[in-house]
Amino acid sequence: MSTRSQLLKGILDGCVLVVIEKETVYGYELSKKLQSIGLADVSEGTIYPVLLRLQKKGWIYGEIRPSEEGPNRKYYTLTENGKKALCDIRREWSGISVAVNTLLREDENDECSTVDSGK
Amino acid sequence: MSTRSQLLKGILDGCVLVVIEKETVYGYELSKKLQSIGLADVSEGTIYPVLLRLQKKGWIYGEIRPSEEGPNRKYYTLTENGKKALCDIRREWSGISVAVNTLLREDENDECSTVDSGK
DNA sequence: GTCAACTATATTGTTTAACAAGATAGTATA
DNA sequence: TATACTATCTTGTTAAACAATATAGTTGAC
């Protein structure tokens, strides 16, 4: 499993909430969107459990609407509680993000130059 | 469980490696250090499993030294592989950090003003 | 008409990580 | 001898990411 997958943990919920805050989206669309934003491997197996979890928490709610070009879609919208939760997550993230960036960036050792295509 | 705990996932390893890179430390000390830096609840139950895991991966190695004021301490040092791993983590982190910050910061809605001491 | 490809949602099972709780033990001091 | 602090380690619980798979509607090729 990639390191990225682990790094994602806990941030994914926030990312999903943000996207839904901006516009009502359905799961499949959301998955593609997050991928294009830079959260690489956020596929269906990841996104649907997240959506169900957030719904169970009462942070979003789903609404099934027919599509003219495929199976029904389930569009999600942020609830009031969801907005509050997103605020909390933003705050938590910014705290941790600052702390970690400060730590990781202290470039006493700048010898990371060994960028050898390795994957 | 706190949101913070989930946000931490996957970043902790990097933080631990960075601290060890800068100086040889022992677990108990490391735990206090991370707490003071802003990673709040990184207690012994968290730090020792992390250290064992990193050692198993060959990224750090431990060396027991007696202490004059308490039980023996196990000091950890970064290995060459550990340095490489840290570089990778730095790179991964900066990628995700940028993506998430961009997402979360688009302050169309600045209504997070409800900062009501809530914990 | 049926087959493949794409869209779309959902579930099951595996793996990994954080961390509370508690066991163990050395030192210090009251 | 009791308790407080330092220090390490382990066990068990919980949550999350995600691969794999199942299901089903639509479309177009043949």
Side-chain angles (χ1 to χ4, degrees):
Chain A
M1 193 187 285
S2 72
T3 311
R4 176 169 285 119
S5 141
Q6 283 312 310
L7 282 178
L8 249 191
K9 290 214 178 199
I11 321 174
L12 229 199
D13 284 11
C15 295
V16 167
L17 289 175
V18 166
V19 173
I20 296 180
E21 182 190 37
K22 279 190 278 190
E23 51 179 331
T24 295
V25 289
Y26 57 99
Y28 195 79
E29 188 188 7
L30 184 57
S31 166
K32 307 288 179 205
K33 211 155 248 175
L34 288 178
Q35 281 171 26
S36 77
I37 280 169
L39 286 330
D41 17 51
V42 180
S43 56
E44 292 86 44
T46 300
I47 212 66
Y48 290 113
V50 168
L51 288 171
L52 293 177
R53 193 196 314 145
L54 294 178
Q55 199 172 17
K56 220 170 268 174
K57 284 182 181 171
W59 293 355
I60 60 178
Y61 66 89
E63 194 182 357
I64 291 170
R65 296 188 208 159
S67 160
E68 285 173 1
E69 26 174 329
N72 288 346
R73 295 165 175 174
K74 199 161 171 188
Y75 285 86
Y76 288 96
T77 309
L78 221 58
T79 64
E80 277 309 308
N81 278 338
K83 285 181 191 168
K84 280 181 207 159
L86 180 51
C87 287
D88 289 345
I89 290 176
R90 267 195 237 258
R91 209 173 303 129
E92 295 267 17
W93 166 258
S94 104
I96 286 202
S97 164
V98 166
V100 174
N101 275 328
T102 308
L103 249 188
L104 291 192
R105 281 206 188 125
E106 291 176 6
D107 30 20
E108 313 182 19
N109 293 16
D110 215 15
E111 7 170 317
C112 272
S113 15
T114 326
V115 187
D116 61 330
S117 80
K119 211 334 145 38
Chain B
M1 192 186 283
S2 72
T3 310
R4 176 169 285 120
S5 139
Q6 284 310 312
L7 282 178
L8 249 192
K9 289 214 179 200
I11 322 173
L12 230 200
D13 284 11
C15 295
V16 168
L17 289 175
V18 166
V19 174
I20 296 180
E21 182 191 37
K22 279 189 281 189
E23 50 179 331
T24 296
V25 289
Y26 56 99
Y28 194 79
E29 187 188 7
L30 183 59
S31 166
K32 307 290 180 203
K33 211 155 248 178
L34 288 178
Q35 282 172 24
S36 77
I37 280 168
L39 285 329
D41 17 51
V42 181
S43 55
E44 291 87 46
T46 299
I47 213 65
Y48 290 112
V50 168
L51 288 171
L52 292 178
R53 194 196 314 144
L54 295 179
Q55 199 172 19
K56 221 171 266 175
K57 284 182 181 170
W59 293 355
I60 59 177
Y61 64 90
E63 194 184 357
I64 291 171
R65 297 188 207 159
S67 159
E68 285 173 1
E69 26 174 328
N72 287 346
R73 295 164 175 176
K74 202 162 168 187
Y75 285 85
Y76 289 96
T77 310
L78 220 59
T79 64
E80 276 310 308
N81 278 338
K83 285 181 191 170
K84 280 182 205 155
L86 180 51
C87 287
D88 289 344
I89 290 175
R90 266 195 238 258
R91 211 174 301 128
E92 295 269 16
W93 166 258
S94 104
I96 288 202
S97 164
V98 166
V100 174
N101 276 328
T102 308
L103 248 188
L104 291 192
R105 283 207 188 124
E106 290 175 6
D107 30 20
E108 315 182 18
N109 293 17
D110 214 15
E111 6 170 319
C112 272
S113 17
T114 325
V115 187
D116 61 330
S117 79
K119 210 340 155 23

